[in-house]
Amino acid sequence: MSSIGAPLRVLQVTDTHLFPDANSRLVGVDTRATLAATLDAALSKGAPDLLLLTGDLAEDPQTEAYAALEAIVQQRFSGDLLCVPGNHDDPARSGLFERREWFAGDWGVLGLDSRVANAEGGRVAEAELRRLLERIDAAQQPNLLIAVHHPPLELASPLDHGRIENGRELLAELGARGAVRAILFGHVHQAVEAQIGTLRLFGTPSSCVQFKPLRTRFALDLDSPSSTPGWRWLTLGSDGSFASEVQRLDAAALGPEFRPVIGSATS
């Protein structure tokens, strides 16, 4: 953990897609194994001040899937944890989603729920947006990050239909509040960096399978340097500066349980 005056460190892991049954696979990939390996590699660089999980924690949102995730995390990390739900998640099945915000030093992370019932895409409900803006305005910290599952804008991706439907409105509201420095999201299973006005936007690779970017049709990323599980480190300075870096598992060290299989069943 950071000492007084030292930069804070946030580790973002996303789209873990765990099943209730340990024998189930997502396109041939053992998502429990990929999550464990992702955390082992990331935490070998030191413990973060916050572990941030940005949605689709479960592929099948049963209590057993969330219990498995908690066990994998708790075996490796005992610090602060903040989870936001994705379109595959059911917050009623787990206490993981009860925490909505985290504050330390001059920084805060506020969680945002972008789920739409029975839909892959996202939207921020009016009441949820109002809650978020009230928390931003009340926050004592001068620097804030917003954590959400769905991206708030188009990314030239096959998953653009899954963006936040009212994302432009969200960006306008957040951009008008100088304390909001960046938005962190998942869902797209690839690394993304963009800037809208003063807001920086960061999408993070999945801890399991990746999607090919810049495609009009959906495709798995199978053999490029960006095809392996990844995570994002953020370093937050007390002066308001911050840095971000995506890291990935070494492809040469991965066994067959880490490699997607086109046409494979998911369970």
Side-chain angles (χ1 to χ4, degrees):
M1 299 298 177
S2 298
S3 59
I4 295 175
L8 296 165
R9 301 175 77 225
V10 174
L11 172 60
Q12 183 193 7
V13 175
T14 192
D15 294 88
T16 57
H17 289 276
L18 267 62
F19 292 88
D21 180 1
N23 294 316
S24 295
R25 300 290 183 267
L26 181 68
V27 292
V29 171
D30 181 347
T31 56
R32 296 191 187 195
T34 57
L35 173 58
T38 293
L39 289 174
D40 286 342
L43 295 173
S44 70
K45 308 295 184 181
D49 296 281
L50 173 69
L51 174 56
L52 174 65
L53 304 182
T54 48
D56 281 1
L57 308 190
E59 172 68 14
D60 179 4
Q62 304 301 317
T63 54
E64 295 85 355
Y66 296 116
L69 185 142
E70 286 191 83
I72 291 169
V73 170
Q74 290 172 0
Q75 287 167 6
R76 294 161 173 82
F77 178 71
S78 59
D80 288 344
L81 176 66
L82 176 63
C83 301
V84 297
N87 49 287
H88 280 273
D89 289 314
D90 182 353
R93 299 296 183 101
S94 174
L96 285 166
F97 302 101
E98 292 177 358
R99 184 174 194 170
R100 304 295 305 274
E101 55 195 35
W102 173 85
F103 298 102
D106 291 323
W107 286 86
V109 180
L110 303 179
L112 178 64
D113 188 347
S114 57
R115 291 174 306 121
V116 176
N118 303 312
E120 179 184 324
R123 180 177 179 82
V124 179
E126 181 179 347
E128 177 69 356
L129 178 58
R130 185 167 59 250
R131 180 200 66 81
L132 177 69
L133 297 180
E134 289 173 353
R135 293 302 299 137
I136 291 172
D137 293 340
Q140 300 297 310
Q141 281 68 16
N143 307 293
L144 300 174
L145 304 175
I146 307 302
V148 64
H149 179 65
H150 296 88
L153 78 172
E154 300 85 355
L155 301 168
S157 162
L159 291 187
D160 276 349
H161 67 279
R163 68 187 184 280
I164 296 174
E165 179 184 330
N166 55 340
R168 295 291 174 179
E169 176 189 349
L170 174 66
L171 291 171
E173 291 282 7
L174 298 182
R177 288 161 169 80
V180 179
R181 308 298 307 284
I183 302 173
L184 310 173
F185 58 89
H187 190 62
V188 293
H189 289 236
Q190 59 192 262
V192 175
E193 294 194 13
Q195 185 155 352
I196 303 293
T198 60
L199 277 177
R200 295 175 69 183
L201 287 79
F202 297 102
T204 295
S206 166
S207 68
C208 54
V209 301
Q210 313 309 318
F211 303 155
K212 280 192 175 181
L214 304 177
R215 289 291 187 104
T216 57
R217 293 186 177 183
F218 173 82
L220 290 173
D221 194 346
L222 297 175
D223 53 13
S224 77
S226 61
S227 65
T228 59
W231 57 92
R232 184 180 294 277
W233 279 107
L234 294 108
T235 303
L236 313 176
S238 58
D239 60 354
S241 64
F242 69 99
S244 169
E245 181 185 8
V246 167
Q247 298 177 349
R248 294 182 184 270
L249 294 179
D250 181 3
L254 300 182
E257 71 274 18
F258 289 77
R259 302 188 184 282
V261 178
I262 294 178
S264 173
T266 60
S267 62

